[in-house]
Amino acid sequence: MAAGDRKYFSKQLVALLVGATLSSYFGSAAVSYGQASAPDQTIGKNIPEGAKLLLSANELVYNRDADLVSAVGGVQINYGGYKMVAQKVEYNQKTGRMMALGNVELVSPDGNRIYADNLDVTDNFADGFLNSLRIETADNTRIVAESGERIGGTKMILNKGVYTACLPCAEDPKRAPFWQVKAKRVIQNGVTHTIRLESARFELLGYPIAFLPFIEVPDNTVKRKSGFLFPTMSLSQNLGFGLSIPYYYVISPSMDATVTTTGYTAQGFLVEGEFRQRFENGTHILRVAGIDQAKPGNFSSGTSDAEASQRGMVTSKAEFRINPRWTFGWDVMMQSDNNFSKTYKLKDLSGTDRTNQIYLTGLGKRNYFDMRAFYFDVQDADRTNTAEKQQAIVYPSLDYHYVAPQPLAGGELSADVNLTNISRTHDDFYTVDGFDRFRGLKGQTSRLTAELQWKRTYVTPTGLVITPLLAARGDAFALNMDDPTGYNGNYLDDNSATRSMFTAGLEVRYPILMTTENSTHILEPIAQIYARPDEQLAGRLPNEDAQSFVFDATSLFDRDKFSGYDRVEGGTRANLGVQYTGTFDSGYKLHGIFGQSYQIAGQNSFATDDLVNVGADSGLETDRSDYVGLGGVETPYGVSVAASYRLDEKDFEFRRGDLTTAYQNDTFQTQVTYTHLSAQPAYGFAEDNDEIQTNSRIKFKDYWSIFGGIAWDLNNDVLSRRTLGLTYEDECTIFTIAYTDTRDSDDESASDWTIGARLTFRTLGDIKIGTDTLQ
């Protein structure tokens, strides 16, 4: 063959590859329309500049009389990442058509594969035919057709197409996949960038279950396209059956919206709208929802659900990055009553407690800044909205942390600053077993706290780890709150106050490493002592952020065991304990912590009453604290046990803790947790609280599983939660149906049962009924 002929033939082979690539591209688009957009697949963008075309064949023939160029026998072509094999490749210069014959296979750089008996395409790629077509994409989706035709360079038509995202059965590849979609014609329009499936039939396990005259979806060159989304369904006791139909609308490249209409058999039509806008430096999401309830009487009488007719809400959520270190944003919600979003289970808005906030944050290499304002929504059925009115309004709360870049006297110097300003319109007061608790006072209070800390770690030649510590803290208060009526303590009746705390501490650890032929053990005794003056104004100031106090093994070695700034630990205290870790070659692992805390001198802050009795029955109110510990064991057989406990310092009575046992293998997994909380009347818990929670899942018959769980309130002998469900999951399909029954013994209006289901077809979408998650 002449050199010029080879050059001309190479160009035609390139054209052939481009035509086949376009066909492969259509196959990818048809089965991946629900996924992220792929790059525009054109020869200019996909073939690297200067790429070499490699051709291998048993014979290369040029027929000058017929103007036919042929590569015959074991043809292999590699060009710019595209690979094709065929038994024969021909180019007819007279007709301008190219043809690949016999077991044609083309692999594109993205992993998509196209198989055909033969491929016939014009040299301008506008028109062509494919016979016995099969396409496999990189994400394991498949389409098969009897024939394919490309028309005018803008349309691709497949005849008698079958699409599925399921893998073929390994034992019987000819058996129908779990699901597939058959269509008489599949049309891809390159102008409108849509894929139309005409006379579509959806089959499940080889049986047709749905017929549609046509389905039209965007191809994978379209990132977003307006249209209806998959409907969802729900079923609940108070709302009845609900059918939600969402419509997605593209407004501009940076804006879109989703409008959803839900019809409830018991309550009428709920309309939801979500508007999303993206800016160069952030995003904003606006949501609205509303309903005119048809049957408010379905709800328990005397509740906000029963008394409200026209209900609605609006939320706004945004985040903007000012620069690489600073971020500003907000997340706020307003609703017509205090239980609307929870009752109608609006996505991400149905929690009992919801935090509305606006914030500014900054993060540096050795410091951070965080300022936030809060308003707390409490969603319950109380028509007087008492719980929410008792919540504090925070405006603002500021935290700043700084670590000096250079060591000071060989140690690390750090600083913390906190500013909190809150107000409340109602007293948050209640009585339990004759003990008054003032969780919040009507009025306004502000507190500014600043603390400096220095610490350095020494390691002796014998392995002893010594860490000295020095800290200084100061607090300033502005008080404009009502006095607590009936408070037995000496509450500070003043408009302002200051206090300080100085700490000198020392921690000593001695890790001991022990090894045997088949195990490694680390035993580490730990001793701490903190010398401090007594807490100033103990129990005489409001306590807003140090109410949630739990003493256990995780807080044993904390310098200040209070959970917030409003209380500060005083007096001289020592913490003693030991922690252990063991690993065995057989696969067993052990870990544990055990210890006790001692008030050596000065006033015990945890024995000092305050407005919420935060230290009462905490295990730290005596000079010798309760014993605390945790431990666990993991086995190579899937069994694990973990426990946390607090034992009375006199008689070792079990005061608080939990025990969790779990087992897991390929077909069965389960977890059982027992939790015990002894009564703390002065702290607001009049009775013991014992509960057992369990969740289990059993896998049977290939992809099928059954799951369930309960929460059993042992003290009231009530099953507070029951869940039972069935699920099927393989590589292309997920089906789950679950029943959940929740019961609140303190508030029966909060009890409800729901049925949830989800059917997911990979690459097509979800069909949902309520929620199918195991809670």
Side-chain angles (χ1 to χ4, degrees), residues 728-749:
Y728 172 90
E729 182 174 357
D730 62 18
E731 79 284 347
C732 64
T733 311
I734 300 175
F735 168 72
T736 302
I737 185 170
Y739 167 82
T740 302
D741 182 9
T742 57
R743 182 172 180 182
D744 189 338
S745 56
D746 296 327
D747 183 8
E748 285 298 329
S749 65

Side-chain angles (χ1 to χ4, degrees), residues 285 287 313-318 330-335 338 341-342 346-358 374-380 388 391-392:
I285 301 174
R287 293 179 61 184
M313 73 85 198
V314 58
T315 68
S316 176
K317 182 177 181 180
W330 65 83
D331 184 1
V332 296
M333 177 179 75
M334 294 182 61
Q335 51 185 357
N338 59 313
S341 297
K342 183 179 180 181
L346 301 184
K347 183 181 179 182
D348 300 327
L349 302 176
S350 59
T352 300
D353 303 309
R354 190 182 191 282
T355 302
N356 299 279
Q357 60 179 311
I358 181 172
F374 299 98
Y375 181 86
F376 302 99
D377 276 321
V378 179
Q379 299 198 87
D380 57 28
E388 184 171 319
Q391 298 302 305

Side-chain angles (χ1 to χ4, degrees), residues 281-282 319-329 359-362:
N281 62 337
E319 182 171 281
F320 298 95
R321 184 165 292 277
I322 302 172
N323 57 43
R325 293 188 177 185
W326 289 91
T327 302
F328 170 71
Y359 59 88
L360 173 66
T361 63

Side-chain angles (χ1 to χ4, degrees), residues 85 153 173 243 400 513 573 587 614 639 726:
V85 297
L243 176 63
Y400 177 73
L513 175 64
R573 178 173 290 276
V614 66
V639 178
L726 178 70

Side-chain angles (χ1 to χ4, degrees), residues 4 137 288 340 570 579 773:
T137 66
V288 295
F340 169 67
Q579 63 181 11
T773 55

